[in-house]
Amino acid sequence: MTLRRRKAVFKADLVVIDEPQLFCLTAGKSMIIALAVPEVEDSEFDHIAASVTQKNWERYLGGYVDVRYLFTYPFHRSLYVFHSKDFAEDGVMLRPWENEFSEQLLPSHGIFSSSHTEEFGDFEEADEEEQLFIDGEWQLNEFGSFYQRYSDIYFFSAAVKNVDRQDIPQAYKGRIKNAFARKPFKGGSSYMHMFDELQDCLPRGEKLSLEGIEYNSPGDVRMNGMAEHFSDIEKLISNYVLNRQKIRNSHKKLRDFMTKHQLLGLAASSFDQGSAEAATLEQDAKILSDDLSLSSFDTVKTLCNNNSLVVAKVMLAIFRRIDSASAFFAEGRMAFERDA
Amino acid sequence: MQFLEELPEQCPPGEAAELEHENALRFVSSDEVTSLSVDDFLSYAALGQTRRNADPCDTASCSLFKSEDCEGFRTARKFPKLRTKPVAKMSIPTGAGMSIVNKKGHIHFWMYKCFDPLKHVVEVIPHDAA
């Protein structure tokens, strides 16, 4: 396949040290990142560039990947070169580069968006802090497990709330709908992918991030996100710890029904929504949702295309996460408030 | 006091001050002190370069770093074009010009006409040694 040149227009300088070292351009709807490089003899270029997907661009701005990653790792990237003398008022033609860039041209690891010397965009990060208090003994993997569960609940709760909000851009609502709708919901991987995808469904100003862990007895875990979502999770977990037996009963009822009717391993597309089981599934899923104090059952139903089997499976999945996260609080190893 | 370069209006900004920089670092073109020229210390603007959407006062400053340990310098060394450049270590006294230092150790330096940067180069550090 012949690689084609493409025109790119300057968007913004990102790092300027003596001269622009790193900047971004746009080529149509695509984001291009460009880096000044030493001019190697006969090379005819003094910049390298790479296309960046929207997802990776947000990951870069969020500090999750560095500049070197963008040039070397994603499968969906195109590489280019150009010379600064070819930059005109209306942009620059990028010449495709077929091979990987040599080490001489690549940045070292560790240039994150926090290294920017120039202000860029209006991507403000969530800065409302939640502090959870830890005590007792912890294994390292337990911190990971807790944060994973807490994070899943946060993104699920926030996404379901946001899909009905007027001030959320349509692009994010579309991603939320896709996270639910485009899954077979047959095996366990659908839930993992759904919760993973929900992390990309929130504006950056609402995303959860881990700021720090002080492992002491007592110590703390600090996260940044949106206060409203933190408050919602506190209510979910507090309710679970208080009403655990009742909630587990409604969970068992739903799960036993699904086991009896061989629905746990059935794909969503194979489920007959007109079947007798559908009404029971929806009823029992609603009871579980109410007992969990989830406020948006109807929204979840809509997101699941009114497929009762999918709704039931999503309820089981969110139950497992609330149950798992709540255990740390019930054990006394995690608390929302520090005892005086 | 007259500045070495012609500066835009309201430049340097109000928060700039006459500061001493004992071991300021400047990326230069040569490993040899005797091969350096004043051009090595001129701003982007003075070298006839323009930047889109840039603050003209920033573009008219000489970029320095506080030390090899500061975050700004360590980051700068990660860029391919700066990784291989030698660095001049300078001793800049109070009264040489006006400066603003940011929290990453980067210095915007607007030097006075009376200041000769070449006379204040203590040594040049080749890129392998930095």
Side-chain angles (χ1 to χ4, degrees):
Chain A
M1 183 177 78
T2 305
L3 299 172
R4 292 163 58 173
R5 301 184 344 147
R6 66 194 298 196
K7 185 74 157 287
V9 175
F10 175 82
K11 185 170 173 68
D13 285 324
L14 302 175
V15 176
V16 177
I17 303 171
D18 291 348
E19 58 183 310
Q21 300 295 329
L22 184 74
F23 53 96
C24 56
L25 312 107
T26 52
K29 291 184 183 176
S30 302
M31 184 65 80
I32 307 283
I33 192 157
L35 183 71
V37 295
E39 235 179 308
V40 177
E41 200 177 311
D42 297 333
S43 66
E44 298 183 349
F45 64 85
D46 61 0
H47 286 80
I48 61 173
S51 62
V52 183
T53 62
Q54 182 63 30
K55 181 174 177 175
N56 277 330
W57 186 242
E58 290 185 9
R59 293 180 73 207
Y60 169 69
L61 292 177
Y64 296 101
V65 302
D66 65 4
V67 173
R68 186 182 173 98
Y69 172 90
L70 296 178
F71 278 95
T72 59
Y73 212 72
F75 286 122
H76 301 294
R77 78 193 193 282
S78 298
L79 302 178
Y80 304 94
V81 297
F82 64 92
H83 200 286
S84 49
K85 67 180 186 327
D86 298 326
F87 230 117
E89 278 301 314
D90 61 344
V92 64
M93 287 303 287
L94 305 177
R95 281 181 278 136
W97 187 261
E98 289 190 40
N99 303 313
E100 299 296 336
F101 291 119
S102 66
E103 193 58 40
Q104 182 186 13
L105 300 177
L106 288 170
S108 306
H109 268 302
I111 303 174
F112 291 91
S113 58
S114 55
S115 303
H116 288 178
T117 61
E118 311 302 299
E119 283 187 19
F120 173 72
D122 55 358
F123 294 100
E124 56 179 74
E125 297 198 340
D127 59 2
E128 292 171 332
E129 189 180 272
E130 172 77 334
Q131 187 180 23
L132 300 179
F133 300 95
I134 63 176
D135 209 339
E137 296 295 316
W138 285 72
Q139 300 295 318
L140 185 59
N141 62 310
E142 290 183 301
F143 284 115
S145 174
F146 171 77
Y147 185 73
Q148 180 67 64
R149 293 294 177 247
Y150 187 96
S151 173
D152 284 350
I153 301 167
Y154 179 100
F155 285 107
F156 176 86
S157 172
V160 171
K161 210 171 199 176
N162 283 359
V163 83
D164 289 331
R165 278 169 54 182
Q166 298 296 323
D167 59 332
I168 295 294
Q170 203 54 42
Y172 288 106
K173 293 187 182 184
R175 288 187 205 174
I176 295 169
K177 289 170 186 170
N178 288 340
F180 283 85
R182 291 188 186 176
K183 303 288 176 301
F185 283 105
K186 184 175 182 186
S189 63
S190 286
Y191 310 107
M192 270 175 25
H193 292 142
M194 182 188 82
F195 285 104
D196 282 348
E197 280 184 36
L198 287 177
Q199 295 196 21
D200 292 326
C201 295
L202 297 194
R204 285 190 70 229
E206 293 189 30
K207 282 191 175 182
L208 179 72
S209 64
L210 181 64
E211 289 307 300
I213 300 175
E214 187 180 327
Y215 178 47
N216 269 318
S217 191
D220 66 14
V221 174
R222 293 175 313 285
M223 296 175 282
N224 276 353
M226 200 159 143
E228 178 187 331
H229 300 322
F230 287 133
S231 173
D232 289 343
I233 298 178
E234 182 171 343
K235 287 176 191 160
L236 289 174
I237 290 177
S238 300
N239 171 71
Y240 187 87
V241 172
L242 202 60
N243 300 299
R244 180 169 171 248
Q245 192 56 59
K246 181 183 177 193
I247 297 169
R248 286 184 71 86
N249 288 345
S250 47
H251 168 263
K252 185 174 188 304
K253 184 167 184 269
L254 175 61
R255 200 166 199 285
D256 286 351
F257 179 82
M258 294 174 77
T259 304
K260 182 179 173 185
H261 294 274
Q262 297 176 317
L263 297 173
L264 288 173
L266 186 69
S269 55
S270 303
F271 181 66
D272 178 5
Q273 189 54 34
S275 65
E277 288 88 354
T280 307
L281 274 181
E282 182 171 324
Q283 179 184 290
D284 287 353
K286 175 86 170 49
I287 291 170
L288 177 57
S289 173
D290 289 347
D291 287 347
L292 284 169
S293 280
L294 293 169
S295 56
S296 43
F297 180 79
D298 288 340
T299 303
V300 172
K301 237 182 86 175
T302 306
L303 288 168
C304 298
N305 289 327
N306 293 305
N307 184 314
S308 306
L309 179 62
V310 177
V311 174
K313 289 187 172 188
V314 168
M315 285 302 146
L316 293 183
I318 196 65
F319 163 88
R320 283 195 294 276
R321 281 148 177 86
I322 295 175
D323 174 61
S324 179
S326 298
F328 292 95
F329 290 84
E331 290 162 2
R333 292 199 286 160
M334 187 71 82
F336 291 108
E337 306 281 343
R338 197 192 288 283
D339 290 335
Chain B
M1 185 71 77
Q2 206 173 359
F3 290 96
L4 177 69
E5 298 183 20
E6 193 174 329
L7 301 180
E9 274 188 34
Q10 297 184 332
C11 179
E15 61 265 33
E18 285 190 357
L19 301 173
E20 179 188 4
H21 304 293
E22 206 176 313
N23 290 306
L25 302 176
R26 169 76 177 171
F27 285 105
V28 291
S29 59
S30 171
D31 279 359
E32 301 291 330
V33 176
T34 50
S35 300
L36 298 182
S37 73
V38 172
D39 279 5
D40 283 293
F41 302 91
L42 292 180
S43 70
Y44 199 60
L47 293 171
Q49 302 294 328
T50 55
R51 273 183 55 209
R52 300 159 195 86
N53 305 328
D55 180 338
C57 190
D58 285 352
T59 318
S61 74
C62 173
S63 266
L64 305 168
F65 293 94
K66 273 180 72 71
S67 69
E68 291 167 60
D69 293 330
C70 74
E71 185 184 340
F73 183 76
R74 285 188 280 111
T75 300
R77 273 301 198 207
K78 295 175 180 174
F79 285 90
K81 202 164 179 184
L82 299 177
R83 187 188 299 142
T84 54
K85 278 192 110 174
V87 166
K89 187 179 280 191
M90 304 174 70
S91 177
I92 300 174
T94 316
M98 305 283 282
S99 308
I100 291 177
V101 186
N102 73 12
K103 58 186 176 182
K104 293 184 181 178
H106 176 263
I107 305 169
H108 280 298
F109 179 48
W110 296 274
M111 63 186 91
Y112 293 142
K113 198 168 185 177
C114 59
F115 177 72
D116 183 349
L118 291 170
K119 289 184 178 166
H120 291 82
V121 174
V122 173
E123 63 173 319
V124 176
I125 308 169
H127 66 88
D128 287 327

